[in-house]
């Protein structure tokens, strides 16, 4: 017997759950292997690895289009990811007047809006499934646009658990939530910028925000001209010209206008002042999200952002990071590495810095560095600046110490 076709049913909890369950029951009865996100039936779900795996295993994806799915970045993500992976995506209308996503190039929609016609439509749908007759990805969405996201570091070490939990905050299908603004918080050097970059490069995130994932470098004291420059870049990334982006005020308004009906993710990196978040805030753009990284926990709280804290690396990852920067395999790390790992307390910046410094160095140098590290007053894992600055200059770990100091760690 041939393997049954795998049918993934993509729907929004808000107004697609009933039809989704009905289709699942009927298609299962006809011998199809169906999958739908059960968590969503109960009232919302996040993007998950299960969704990703189920999508990848699917032969056919039914995209239930409703007001709710139009708003949901999880639904958008499911639809776009399947289109990009060249799955057969069949659009199914829950409501006749449901907004139709612009990235779907569709020959026909299967209209399930009238319950009396359900059985007839089901037969049409089964014909579509059998003949794999679905939608294509609209031409404008086939190529990557103007990309503002900086590349990941050459020695990038992935942090799957951290990426997943951040993604969960940004991609969710919940009715009552307040995550339009997310603050990724943590001390300097803990890896906020790199994690945010990895998020921007994540396929599910890119699929959920088809109009663009925009990167904006803010910093401690940007001038108005710096911010205007960044807003122009954001406009270009949205496929628009930067005409009229002159003053900060005008640019801020123009950007907000551009974002109004778009599904875009804005990432503001290294924010020190709440004002800079306000400058870029997409206002009432329903499908946009803004994520910013900051060392200052107070900013997020002050503007009502959802706070998400990043912690130091787990031991295993810290070891991998040190080894990667030192250009060795983990097995090749000298015995002194254990002490260095202990002293660096899982802080990526410190590990990267020391690893790079010890690249191609003999174990004797590792011992020297470890020795100086143990003499630096406790590496302080806090946001405040430490004491004893200016001491022990010229020690073998002087570079690392200067670096710790510059982040307020030593
Ligand atoms: N996942 C990672 N893989 C490789 N290097 C990393 C990673 N995270 C951080 N680093 C290193 O640590 C440095 C500091 O990380 P960064 O993301 O800039 O910290 P933050 O933004 O929290 O201050 C980076 O420049 C990089 O060298
Ligand atoms: Mg940073």
């Amino acid at each position: 017997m041939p393997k049954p076709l795998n049918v993934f049913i993509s729907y929004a909890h808000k107004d697609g759950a009933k039809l989704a369950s009905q289709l699942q029951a009927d298609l299962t009865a006809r011998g199809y292997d169906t999958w739908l996100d059960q968590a969503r039936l109960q009232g919302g779900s996040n993007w998950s690895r299960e969704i990703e795996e189920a999508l990848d295993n699917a032969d056919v994806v039914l995209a239930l289009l409703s007001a709710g799915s139009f708003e949901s970045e999880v639904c958008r993500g499911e639809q776009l990811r399947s289109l990009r992976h060249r799955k057969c995506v069949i659009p199914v209308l829950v409501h006749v007047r449901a907004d139709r996503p612009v990235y779907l190039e569709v020959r026909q929609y299967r209209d399930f809006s009238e319950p009396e016609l359900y059985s007839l439509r089901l037969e049409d749908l089964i014909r579509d499934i059998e003949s794999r007759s679905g939608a294509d990805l609209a031409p404008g969405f086939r190529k990557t646009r103007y990309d503002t996201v900086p590349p990941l570091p050459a020695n990038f070490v992935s942090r799957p658990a951290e990426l997943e939990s951040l993604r969960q905050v940004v991609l969710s299908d919940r009715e009552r939530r307040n995550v339009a603004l997310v603050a990724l918080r943590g001390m300097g050097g803990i890896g906020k910028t790199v994690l945010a970059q990895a998020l921007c490069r994540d396929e599910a995130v890119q699929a959920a925000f088809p109009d663009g994932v925009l990167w904006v470098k803010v910093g401690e004291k940007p001038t108005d001209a710096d911010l205007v420059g960044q807003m122009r870049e954001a406009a270009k990334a949205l496929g628009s010209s930067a005409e009229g982006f002159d003053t900060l005020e005008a640019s801020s308004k123009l950007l907000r206008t551009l974002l109004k009906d778009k599904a875009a993710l804005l990432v503001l990196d290294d924010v020190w002042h709440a004002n800079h978040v306000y400058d870029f805030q997409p206002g009432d753009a329903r499908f946009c999200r803004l994520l910013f990284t900051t060392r200052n926990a107070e900013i997020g709280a002050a503007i009502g952002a959802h706070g998400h804290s990043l912690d130091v690396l787990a031991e295993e990852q810290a070891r991998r990071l040190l080894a990667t920067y030192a250009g060795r395999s983990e097995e090749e790390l000298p015995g002194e590495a254990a002490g260095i790992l202990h002293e660096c307390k899982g802080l990526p910046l410190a590990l990267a810095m020391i690893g790079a410094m010890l690249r191609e160095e003999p174990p004797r140098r590792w011992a020297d560095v470890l020795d100086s590290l143990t003499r630096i007053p406790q590496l302080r894992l806090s946001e405040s600046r430490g004491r004893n600055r200016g001491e022990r200059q010229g020690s073998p770990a002087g570079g690392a110490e200067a670096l710790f100091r510059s982040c307020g760690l030593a």
Side-chain angles (χ1 to χ4, degrees), residues 55-373:
L55 268 180
D56 292 348
N57 289 330
D59 301 299
V60 173
V61 175
L62 304 185
L64 270 52
L65 303 180
S66 60
S69 72
F70 194 72
E71 284 173 13
S72 153
E73 58 273 7
V74 175
C75 292
R76 261 195 319 265
E78 289 169 349
Q79 296 162 6
L80 254 157
R81 186 182 164 106
S82 354
L83 288 163
R84 292 205 173 119
H85 286 235
R86 300 187 174 277
K87 303 283 175 187
C88 167
V89 178
I90 304 175
V92 169
L93 294 178
V94 181
H95 309 122
V96 181
R97 273 192 284 280
D99 284 311
R100 328 257 164 119
V102 286
Y103 45 81
L104 282 176
E105 198 177 53
V106 185
R107 281 175 293 280
Q108 57 189 352
Y109 293 92
R110 287 299 167 204
D111 178 0
F112 276 79
S113 62
E114 294 175 64
E116 331 54 278
L117 299 178
Y118 178 84
S119 317
L120 275 175
R121 299 296 188 237
L122 182 65
E123 298 312 317
D124 292 338
L125 182 63
I126 288 174
R127 265 197 301 282
D128 287 346
I129 293 176
E130 289 303 319
S131 63
R132 311 289 172 90
S133 146
D136 285 318
L137 188 57
F141 295 87
R142 282 181 203 153
K143 55 183 188 313
T144 314
R145 307 187 182 188
Y146 186 72
D147 185 2
T148 53
V149 183
L152 289 165
N155 294 318
F156 175 66
V157 171
S158 65
R159 300 174 75 174
E162 286 84 352
L163 177 64
E164 169 127 19
S165 71
L166 180 59
R167 188 167 54 181
Q168 292 241 341
V169 177
V170 178
L171 304 188
S172 70
D173 179 12
R174 294 193 191 286
E175 279 172 55
R176 293 164 62 80
R177 60 176 187 162
N178 179 22
V179 293
L181 275 177
V182 180
L184 177 59
R185 305 184 310 218
M187 61 187 292
I190 207 158
K192 300 180 293 297
T193 298
V194 174
L195 183 66
Q197 285 171 354
L199 182 85
C200 292
R201 300 253 166 250
D202 182 69
E203 210 188 324
V205 169
Q206 295 202 344
F209 299 102
D211 293 309
V213 174
L214 319 177
W215 185 272
V216 173
K217 173 101 192 89
V218 180
E220 189 172 3
K221 288 182 184 145
T223 62
D224 281 10
D226 294 337
L227 296 171
V228 169
Q230 295 282 354
M231 287 177 184
R232 290 168 160 263
E233 290 291 285
K236 277 208 248 172
L238 288 166
S240 161
S241 88
E243 201 180 325
F245 282 66
D246 305 320
T247 63
L248 179 57
E249 205 184 330
S251 307
S252 178
K253 285 182 185 152
L254 283 168
L255 183 63
R256 208 167 298 143
T257 314
L258 272 180
L259 288 168
K260 197 159 175 57
D261 299 309
K262 298 249 175 11
L265 173 68
L266 253 94
V267 177
L268 307 187
D269 187 37
D270 199 20
V271 171
W272 292 68
H273 304 284
N275 279 351
H276 299 141
V277 179
Y278 291 131
D279 288 338
F280 285 87
Q281 206 171 359
D284 55 0
R286 281 188 299 154
F287 315 127
C288 292
R289 300 278 173 264
L290 189 150
L291 169 78
F292 62 97
T293 74
T294 184
R295 295 181 191 194
N296 184 343
E298 283 153 28
I299 296 181
I303 60 180
H306 176 99
H308 187 80
S309 299
L310 183 60
D311 207 346
V312 293
L313 295 169
E315 211 173 301
E316 200 182 310
Q317 274 173 323
R319 200 174 166 79
R320 187 166 324 138
L321 202 135
L322 179 67
T324 310
Y325 277 87
R328 303 174 180 231
S329 71
E330 286 170 59
E331 296 74 46
E332 286 166 347
L333 285 174
E336 290 76 6
I340 291 180
L341 284 163
H342 178 76
E343 294 299 326
C344 289
K345 299 191 164 65
L347 189 70
L349 177 65
L351 291 159
M353 189 31 230
I354 290 172
M357 207 163 68
L358 290 172
R359 213 177 170 93
E360 289 170 22
E361 295 286 349
R364 179 177 46 77
R365 281 278 293 143
W366 286 68
D368 290 345
V369 168
L370 175 56
D371 181 52
S372 344
L373 275 176

